[in-house]
Amino acid sequence: MMSRGGAKVASSLLKSARPRLFSTASTSTIRSMSHETSHLLKPAAADLASVNTWIWSGTGGVRFASTASLGEKTPSQDEKPKKTEDESSTGGNKGIASYWGVEPSKITKEDGTEWKWNCFRPWETYKADLTIDLSKHHVPTTFLDRLAYWTVKSLRWPTDLFFQRRYGCRAMMLETVAAVPGMVGGMLLHFKSLRRFEQSGGWIKALLEEAENERMHLMTFMEVAKPKWYERALVITVQGVFFNAYFLGYLISPKFAHRMVGYLEEEAIHSYTEFLKELDKGNIDNVPAPAIAIDYWRLPADATLRDVVMVVRADEAHHRDVNHFASDIHYQGRELKEAPAPVGYH
């Protein structure tokens, strides 16, 4: 009884699955079509082998092993495919085609030349304010201020020992660290805004803007100082340690975290001032400014490395002010959202 029942079930399943497993054309129809077209199509055995149009069935329906049809010509080995317009314009590289309709934007400069930077756009460029006061210093008064101040001072000693007067590599290392706090602070404020269903007063954007500006410093000095393998390894180590330490520090005390970044930026101003002194003495070659720096800071075409260091130092002074300001807000028992963020202050 069980075998007969199983046979009936198998037979019914086969009947119901037959339309999916096999072609909908009947055998008589196929025979008549082949008889009528046999005198028109007589391909050679080699041609039939090359045109691989067999099909297989599956749960998702009929799939084709090859997209080539009987009437489609296959390119010969001697025949080279013609280059498309995208390939010829990009030097042989195929253009990026998007199924979703997202096409790469083509941006030009004011003079009509092509904008070659994908890491930033023309509307993100600016001219640095070089008139900012570089000598301002926040005198530590509380315990947290002193802790932040001496934490930064303790970090300066191994940096001086390792890099000595190689200020190009020193700047590269400094920027890999300086770009971390803005990203961490902006990220934590972003999540806080989501949890509390409240706005941030623009501080998320301001801190992420700071992180992006510091990253552009790094992209610039990468063109000036080519890091060696052990310097790259040091960057990975320092960034890993600093990111986690600053993340925990910001969770525990945002006013301490912002104050520490303010002192870190003061040290950056000092380092870039020493960099300028070495350039003026001739100990470091005042090479032409990298193209990425000229476009990002809107520098003149004949700008030099000294001009780049000047605008970077001005950026660090602005970051100093922003972070000391943020720490002062917390010291007053207020939240950052209560004070409008200095968006675009750089």
Side-chain angles (χ1 to χ4, degrees):
M1 293 297 291
M2 291 297 292
S3 61
R4 289 182 182 179
K8 287 182 180 180
V9 172
S11 177
S12 62
L13 288 174
L14 183 61
K15 288 179 181 180
S16 62
R18 183 174 298 169
R20 296 176 61 86
L21 296 174
F22 303 99
S23 174
T24 56
S26 62
T27 55
S28 60
T29 306
I30 295 174
R31 285 177 182 175
S32 62
M33 287 176 64
S34 62
H35 178 71
E36 290 175 3
T37 58
S38 60
H39 67 285
L40 297 174
L41 297 175
K42 293 182 179 180
D47 294 333
L48 288 173
S50 63
V51 183
N52 185 11
T53 58
W54 55 272
I55 61 175
W56 76 89
S57 59
T59 57
V62 178
R63 300 178 182 177
F64 291 86
S66 174
T67 58
S69 61
L70 288 172
E72 186 179 355
K73 293 182 179 179
T74 56
S76 61
Q77 294 180 353
D78 298 334
E79 205 177 282
K80 293 182 179 180
K82 295 181 180 180
K83 285 187 177 181
T84 62
E85 185 178 351
D86 290 340
E87 289 178 322
S88 60
S89 63
T90 56
N93 296 327
K94 291 184 178 180
I96 299 175
S98 173
Y99 172 80
W100 306 105
V102 180
E103 297 296 335
S105 57
K106 294 183 180 179
I107 304 174
T108 57
K109 295 184 181 180
E110 295 176 354
D111 57 1
T113 57
E114 184 181 358
W115 184 263
K116 62 179 180 178
W117 310 109
N118 291 328
C119 54
F120 67 101
R121 296 305 190 191
W123 50 86
E124 297 168 344
T125 62
Y126 69 101
K127 290 185 178 181
D129 179 17
L130 300 180
T131 62
I132 188 170
D133 187 1
L134 301 173
S135 61
K136 285 196 298 185
H137 167 66
H138 182 277
V139 179
T141 55
T142 66
F143 170 75
L144 285 181
D145 283 355
R146 295 188 185 93
L147 179 62
Y149 180 78
W150 287 110
T151 299
V152 172
K153 285 295 184 181
S154 64
L155 293 175
R156 180 179 170 180
W157 178 79
T159 305
D160 291 341
L161 183 64
F162 184 82
F163 290 105
Q164 302 293 328
R165 293 189 176 276
R166 292 182 296 127
Y167 286 100
C169 296
R170 185 192 187 103
M172 180 201 64
M173 169 62 75
L174 177 65
E175 300 304 340
T176 60
V177 173
V180 171
M183 181 60 65
V184 172
M187 176 186 68
L188 291 177
L189 285 180
H190 173 73
F191 289 138
K192 181 179 179 181
S193 176
L194 297 179
R195 289 194 309 270
R196 296 188 177 182
F197 306 98
E198 62 185 18
Q199 49 86 20
S200 68
W203 279 95
I204 296 174
K205 184 176 180 61
L207 293 177
L208 294 181
E209 190 179 73
E210 175 188 317
E212 175 66 10
N213 181 247
E214 296 283 9
R215 190 182 66 86
M216 290 305 300
H217 293 176
L218 176 62
M219 296 299 103
T220 298
F221 283 109
M222 283 290 293
E223 300 294 326
V224 177
K226 306 296 182 182
K228 300 179 176 59
W229 69 267
Y230 56 86
E231 291 172 336
R232 290 177 178 269
L234 181 63
V235 166
I236 295 173
T237 304
V238 172
Q239 189 183 83
V241 173
F242 183 74
F243 172 84
N244 289 283
Y246 188 80
F247 179 84
L248 292 175
Y250 201 99
L251 287 176
I252 297 171
S253 176
K255 58 184 166 185
F256 165 77
H258 283 292
R259 187 70 78 201
M260 191 184 75
V261 176
Y263 287 128
L264 184 65
E265 299 296 354
E266 291 183 15
E267 287 298 325
I269 295 171
H270 173 76
S271 295
Y272 284 117
T273 301
E274 294 298 317
F275 198 164
L276 287 172
K277 289 179 181 179
E278 294 297 314
L279 283 168
D280 293 338
K281 291 178 182 178
N283 296 331
I284 300 176
D285 293 335
N286 191 21
V287 297
I292 190 172
I294 292 175
D295 285 340
Y296 182 68
W297 282 283
R298 299 178 191 168
L299 298 174
D302 59 347
T304 62
L305 177 59
R306 191 181 192 281
D307 298 319
V308 175
V309 176
M310 290 283 290
V311 294
V312 170
R313 185 177 64 170
D315 287 348
E316 305 294 7
H318 286 85
H319 299 161
R320 170 204 63 193
D321 295 348
V322 170
N323 282 276
H324 280 316
F325 174 49
S327 183
D328 290 342
I329 295 172
H330 283 293
Y331 266 106
Q332 296 171 17
R334 313 287 289 273
E335 292 192 17
L336 293 182
K337 66 176 183 177
E338 299 180 44
V343 178
Y345 186 66
H346 286 287

